[in-house]
Amino acid sequence: MSAAETHILTQARIWTGLGPDLSPGAIVIEGGEIAWVGHVSELPDRWIEAPRQGVSGRLITPALIDCHTHLVHAGHRAREFEMRLKGASYADIARAGGGILSTVAATRAASEDELVEAALPRLDALLAEGVGVVEIKSGYGLDIETELKMLRAAGRLQTLRPVRVRTSFLGAHAIPPEYKYNSAAYIKEMVIPALRAAHEEGLVDAVDGFVESIAFSANEMEEVFNLALTLGLPAKIHAEQLSWQGGTAMAARHGAMSADHLEYADENDVKAMAEAGMTAVLLPGAFYFLRETKLPPIKALREFGVPIALATDCNPGSSPLTSLLLAMNMSCTLFQLTVEEALRGVTINAAKALNLSDCGVIAPGYRADLAVWDVESPAELCYRVGFNPLHQRYFGGRPC
Ligand code: DI6
Ligand code: FE
């Protein structure tokens, strides 16, 4: 099927993200975009003759969006998992030079091709569950060369698979051994020049940072965000994951798109996010895998109307998760999100978290990135644990 061709998916239950479900509904796809969506009985005359494909009452949603991943990295940390099972904490392991830094060593040693090879199976697992957009961060290089190598590898993935990749520069993820105890010099001598170089090469869509006791302070991060602003790049942040550090409020002052994790965020943080129009990205995989007990401020996020997105946080240390469906299930079981909130979290609100305005809902003018599910209702997507009911994914109007 060529991208310019018109065709119609019909006899569907459609969750558009914008209103009540349509059933039986139809979607007209034209030139890779959605031209029309509505009740089958209201299909405009001009498309009556167009080729149709019935989907037998299956559920159609926008293709899913994983808005926070560290998909590109080398190696794994199963050994640290075992250490944690014996009582060591994630922060203990990081302070002892393991954690993020052990993945940094592996990632520095890998070639760009090897990083692509290692990331592809993880990407394929996401795509098999209906994902159409994946955000991928750098942050396991912590030197200029490797940060650029990671971003190039991330960008290459979208030439190898039908998916859109959004890249985030995460030079401020951890302090490498060569700068131990000297985070200020690390920011000045590595993060700032690496961001400039990556931006010049067109490798960066957004700038991220890890504000935490084991990483950077809000003040240190501010310097990086100031450069992001100068370069016209949107900001996002890992904040209040393991402790309260004020990263969320600082990010709000810099007009960031999202603050991610947020277990230790308080009501003032949520207010600041609401005023700045930010999205909250919750990462139940990391909460689960680190066996956290402090819940993100869900009630306040709802009260202040902060959009909630969900993501896998796919990374080798705190969330080796490659299932956005499982993240949805966990958001319901662990954070008590509703089914509607979970689905919005991986579609319309995930698009918001990435400043994308052409995907995440089913409406005229949006990309025809769709997921057809062998289920009767949205609740079934969240309810099963470890089962993939995807029937067909569409990327830019093409089945894949
Ligand atoms: N927060 C996370 O959950 C990941 N990075 C971050 O800043 C963990 C990264 C890792 O442990 O490798
Ligand atoms: Fe992360």
Side-chain angles (χ1 to χ4, degrees):
M1 182 186 319
S2 87
E5 258 175 72
T6 301
H7 85 279
I8 302 177
L9 296 178
T10 186
Q11 301 304 331
R13 173 169 176 174
I14 304 172
W15 184 94
T16 64
L18 294 172
D21 289 4
L22 301 165
S23 181
I27 300 172
V28 179
I29 299 172
E30 212 164 50
E33 287 185 359
I34 296 160
W36 183 86
V37 57
H39 279 280
V40 167
S41 60
E42 288 161 13
L43 181 72
D45 286 347
R46 56 185 282 218
W47 286 303
I48 295 282
E49 302 287 313
R52 298 174 185 217
Q53 183 196 342
V55 301
S56 311
R58 291 188 177 93
L59 176 71
I60 302 184
T61 67
L64 309 188
I65 299 169
D66 196 349
C67 66
H68 178 142
T69 86
H70 308 248
L71 204 75
V72 168
H73 61 260
H76 63 78
R77 307 235 291 275
R79 172 89 190 89
E80 291 178 10
F81 175 62
E82 286 188 289
M83 284 161 72
R84 286 200 299 107
L85 295 179
K86 289 186 186 137
S89 78
Y90 178 74
D92 292 341
I93 293 170
R95 283 194 200 95
I100 293 174
L101 294 183
S102 62
T103 302
V104 168
T107 304
R108 285 180 177 179
S111 68
E112 187 183 312
D113 286 351
E114 285 166 343
L115 290 180
V116 168
E117 283 304 305
L120 277 174
R122 295 189 278 269
L123 178 63
D124 286 338
L126 294 176
L127 302 189
E129 288 188 352
V131 167
V133 179
V134 184
E135 184 260 17
I136 303 177
K137 305 170 197 301
S138 69
Y140 291 120
L142 312 185
D143 62 32
I144 298 180
E145 187 194 328
T146 315
E147 288 293 304
L148 297 185
K149 180 174 74 183
M150 286 185 74
L151 292 167
R152 289 187 199 114
R156 262 174 62 192
L157 293 172
Q158 68 189 346
T159 67
L160 299 170
R161 295 291 187 272
V163 66
R164 192 147 47 133
V165 170
R166 303 297 287 174
T167 53
S168 300
F169 173 80
L170 180 57
H173 192 196
I175 301 154
E178 57 277 21
Y179 284 95
K180 205 169 179 189
Y181 308 121
N182 201 349
S183 48
Y186 173 67
I187 297 227
K188 189 160 160 279
E189 293 167 19
M190 195 317 273
V191 179
I192 299 287
L195 174 53
R196 284 190 191 282
H199 176 64
E200 240 160 64
E201 206 181 308
L203 296 172
V204 192
D205 296 314
V207 176
D208 200 344
F210 189 22
V211 171
E212 191 51 67
S213 58
I214 53 170
F216 298 90
S217 70
N219 277 344
E220 288 167 335
M221 200 53 224
E222 198 153 9
E223 210 179 312
V224 186
F225 280 2
N226 284 336
L227 175 58
L229 223 62
T230 317
L231 299 176
L233 291 171
K236 54 195 295 180
I237 194 158
H238 287 68
E240 334 305 347
Q241 179 189 6
L242 309 168
S243 60
W244 189 91
Q245 298 287 334
T248 305
M250 187 281 289
R253 286 198 300 279
H254 284 75
M257 302 187 285
S258 73
D260 305 20
H261 286 290
L262 295 174
E263 278 81 349
Y264 286 81
D266 61 24
E267 196 172 297
N268 287 329
D269 294 323
V270 174
K271 267 190 222 165
M273 290 180 73
E275 279 160 19
M278 287 168 76
T279 299
V281 179
L282 303 185
L283 304 166
F287 178 91
Y288 162 83
F289 196 70
L290 297 181
R291 306 178 69 225
E292 294 291 338
T293 50
K294 177 127 174 53
L295 288 163
I298 312 276
K299 190 162 160 271
L301 291 170
R302 286 181 180 137
E303 259 170 40
F304 290 97
V306 175
I308 298 174
L310 297 173
T312 59
D313 195 14
C314 175
N315 77 68
S318 68
S319 187
L321 171 65
T322 47
S323 168
L324 202 47
L325 288 176
L326 187 50
M328 290 165 74
N329 171 270
M330 286 178 180
S331 78
C332 297
T333 54
L334 301 173
F335 297 166
Q336 283 192 291
L337 293 201
T338 64
V339 165
E340 186 69 16
E341 284 173 326
L343 202 41
R344 292 176 72 81
V346 295
T347 54
I348 182 169
N349 290 346
K352 227 175 250 172
L354 296 175
N355 269 4
L356 292 175
S357 54
D358 62 351
C359 61
V361 299
I362 300 179
Y366 283 77
R367 282 177 59 89
D369 291 352
L370 304 167
V372 184
W373 306 96
D374 222 345
V375 301
E376 287 171 7
S377 69
E380 267 184 85
L381 292 182
C382 297
Y383 139 86
R384 291 184 205 281
V385 186
F387 180 74
N388 179 9
L390 188 77
H391 174 71
Q392 180 81 69
R393 182 171 75 96
Y394 287 82
F395 183 72
R398 290 168 199 254
C400 51

